[in-house]
Amino acid sequence: MTAFLTTERLVLRRFTAADTDRLVELDGDPEVMRHLTGGRPTPRGVVEDELLPLYLAHYERYGDLGWWAAEEREGGAFLGWFEFRPTVAGERCEVELGYRLRRAAWGRGYATEGARALIRRGFTGLGVERVVAYTMTVNAGSRRVMEKSGLSYVRTFHEDHPEAIPGSEHGEVEYALERARWRG
């Protein structure tokens, strides 16, 4: 599989149907899903019928914007994924940055390394003007990654979710970085 982006320790590549079990395992960890679903796993059918087709469709539509499987450069262990996709269909000027990593990868700098590399690629080669990222207010780890990647706090907001999860009463936060303010 050809790499989309390589860093000192990471390889980001396109997803394939062969990644189904990896995604099911990732989304099956209650701690990984704590700030997303309150810890509920993503059912295998959703991964197979919704998520993977969405990821693959983005490659067809945008080529170089979408979701990227993250692996260790040395050894090839699956770590999770990074998202770098348009916030408005058909537009490239603003993209959303996201990441979901296995617990074994937490606290090792992988999220920051991958996020910085995507931001650099976006600003220097993909025509991106603004990068945004969102997380729950209480997700201190994700907020730290956003800040270490150069994004700044923009606002706190509240959305109507069908089911509240622990911490959702504090809302969500938006972080952003403009290309003009980027210090690559």
Side-chain angles (χ1 to χ4, degrees), residues 2 19 27 50 64 87 111 116 123 127:
T2 304
D19 290 308
D27 282 16
E50 296 175 31
D64 49 12
T87 58
R116 285 178 176 165
F123 287 156

Side-chain angles (χ1 to χ4, degrees), residues 3 35-36 50-51 53 61 65 102 105-106 110 113 120 122 129 136 141 157 170:
H35 293 112
L36 301 162
E50 296 175 31
L51 296 180
R61 184 163 187 189
L65 295 174
R102 297 175 62 222
W106 292 2
Y110 288 127
E113 184 175 328
R120 173 180 301 283
E129 293 294 326
M136 288 180 67
F157 61 98
H170 301 287

Side-chain angles (χ1 to χ4, degrees), residues 15 23-24 27 33 42-57 67 81 100:
F15 275 102
L23 288 169
V24 170
D27 282 16
M33 301 304 287
T42 304
R44 180 179 202 80
V46 171
V47 171
E48 292 174 333
D49 300 335
E50 296 175 31
L51 296 180
L52 266 173
L54 174 68
Y55 301 168
L56 301 178
W67 284 265
W81 56 254
R100 185 173 305 167

Side-chain angles (χ1 to χ4, degrees), residues 88-100:
V88 176
E91 298 290 327
R92 289 181 162 269
C93 59
E94 182 179 270
V95 298
E96 181 176 350
L97 170 69
Y99 34 83
R100 185 173 305 167

Side-chain angles (χ1 to χ4, degrees), residues 7-142:
T7 70
E8 182 181 332
R9 301 179 301 151
L10 296 172
V11 172
L12 303 186
R13 62 162 177 83
R14 288 183 175 201
F15 275 102
T16 70
D19 290 308
T20 301
D21 289 340
R22 292 177 187 97
L23 288 169
V24 170
E25 178 188 349
L26 177 67
D27 282 16
D29 184 328
E31 280 303 301
V32 168
M33 301 304 287
R34 180 170 50 137
H35 293 112
L36 301 162
T37 65
R40 290 184 311 282
T42 304
R44 180 179 202 80
V46 171
V47 171
E48 292 174 333
D49 300 335
E50 296 175 31
L51 296 180
L52 266 173
L54 174 68
Y55 301 168
L56 301 178
H58 261 75
Y59 305 140
E60 292 301 315
R61 184 163 187 189
Y62 299 104
D64 49 12
L65 295 174
W67 284 265
W68 307 101
E71 297 176 339
E72 282 182 324
R73 189 169 175 181
E74 192 173 307
F78 178 76
L79 299 173
W81 56 254
F82 287 86
E83 165 194 18
F84 203 67
R85 66 177 177 92
T87 58
V88 176
E91 298 290 327
R92 289 181 162 269
C93 59
E94 182 179 270
V95 298
E96 181 176 350
L97 170 69
Y99 34 83
R100 185 173 305 167
L101 301 177
R102 297 175 62 222
R103 260 193 286 174
W106 292 2
R108 298 177 60 192
Y110 288 127
T112 303
E113 184 175 328
R116 285 178 176 165
L118 283 166
I119 291 166
R120 173 180 301 283
R121 180 91 174 258
F123 287 156
T124 63
L126 301 179
V128 173
E129 293 294 326
R130 185 170 193 258
V131 175
V132 296
Y134 306 95
T135 192
M136 288 180 67
T137 299
V138 297
N139 190 345
S142 189

